[in-house]
Amino acid sequence: MNILMKIIINRALFCLALLFLIVVVPAQAGKIYKWTDKDGNVHFSNTPGPDQDASADIGDTKARGGGTFSRPQSLESSLRGTWYGSLAGQSYKLRVNGNTLLWAKTFEQQNSINSVVPVFEAVWKDNNGDLDIIYSNYPSNQSRSGKKDFIRIISKSDESLSLQFPDKRVYNLTKSIKHRRVGIEGKNLIGSWIRQSDGAEVTFKSGSFSTKEEIENRVGAIVTEKGNWQVADSILTMTYIRGINTAGRQGMTRKFKILLSDEQQLILSDSATKKQVVYNRKLAR
């Protein structure tokens, strides 16, 4: 009798275990979570990502199988945009649109702060993270149209790019940012400010800034500086990328400690010179 009871109990336990595998395991395998890390890579996994709960699943994982995998950001999408830099006192501009790039020199003329002289245009493709290029039929490089060359990517992030061009020179570039999420520390900076020392007007938008000044022999205030900005740990970092006051130093940064930032006044301390710069908010008319 005891032997018969043991057989019955063992078979019952086996059936329960089998039922668990049939019902519970497929239910767990059917969950998939999608999340994006701080570097912009998209991840899919069968467990929730950071700051997610179990209700964030988006579908069935059976076709993909188990485990975790990620889809890196494509080189095309990370390069797309306009980049500025300088070398030996000369300013440069790189514009990437899809798989076409334009490399140009920039300089200031009497009636313009953003004159451009193209150096070459080319079609590019990804070569293990570097760029194979073919010069296109463009006025600035007709003599080398159709020829192949190579650009090495030394380093790359969302906002900075270091390239070694076919002339073997290395160019450090900064991306022109139109929009950036502004944290709590930077909220008060949004808007226009008048610099007490000379009356220049600095306007902070979400990710970009511009400076207007009165220039001798010119009628009215003109934009003399444009660039990117961000705030972290009460330090304002301004990266200059365009304008007559940035000629030959595009891509360079200046850091300011924020001493005061409220609705009426902004007081900064230049980290290099330790001099204070005072701004009053420009009031809407």
Side-chain angles (χ1 to χ4, degrees), residues 1-124:
M1 186 68 178
N2 289 337
I3 295 175
L4 181 60
M5 287 297 295
K6 287 182 179 181
I7 293 174
I8 293 173
I9 291 172
N10 288 336
R11 287 184 176 180
L13 290 174
F14 175 78
C15 291
L16 286 173
L18 183 61
L19 182 63
F20 177 83
L21 291 174
I22 293 172
V23 175
V24 177
V25 172
Q28 295 297 322
K31 291 185 179 295
I32 181 170
Y33 300 87
K34 177 182 177 182
W35 50 280
T36 304
D37 64 22
K38 62 182 180 63
D39 298 317
N41 296 322
V42 178
H43 296 262
F44 296 88
S45 66
N46 52 18
T47 57
D51 302 322
Q52 283 186 324
D53 58 32
S55 64
D57 67 287
I58 61 171
D60 193 350
T61 60
K62 291 180 180 178
R64 296 185 175 89
T68 301
F69 64 92
S70 63
R71 183 176 66 239
Q73 188 180 25
S74 70
L75 190 59
E76 185 275 328
S77 62
S78 63
L79 290 180
R80 181 187 292 272
T82 304
W83 303 77
Y84 292 89
S86 59
L87 183 66
Q90 173 63 58
S91 298
Y92 294 90
K93 173 182 178 180
L94 174 67
R95 189 184 70 224
V96 181
N97 184 14
N99 290 103
T100 301
L101 62 84
L102 175 67
W103 180 242
K105 295 181 180 180
T106 64
F107 60 95
E108 182 264 340
Q109 285 185 328
Q110 185 66 26
N111 298 316
S112 173
I113 65 169
N114 193 33
S115 298
V116 176
V117 176
V119 178
F120 66 82
E121 184 185 67
V123 176
W124 67 272

Side-chain angles (χ1 to χ4, degrees), residues 50 66 84 152 161 192 240:
Y84 292 89
R152 179 170 296 281
L161 183 63
S192 295
Y240 299 88

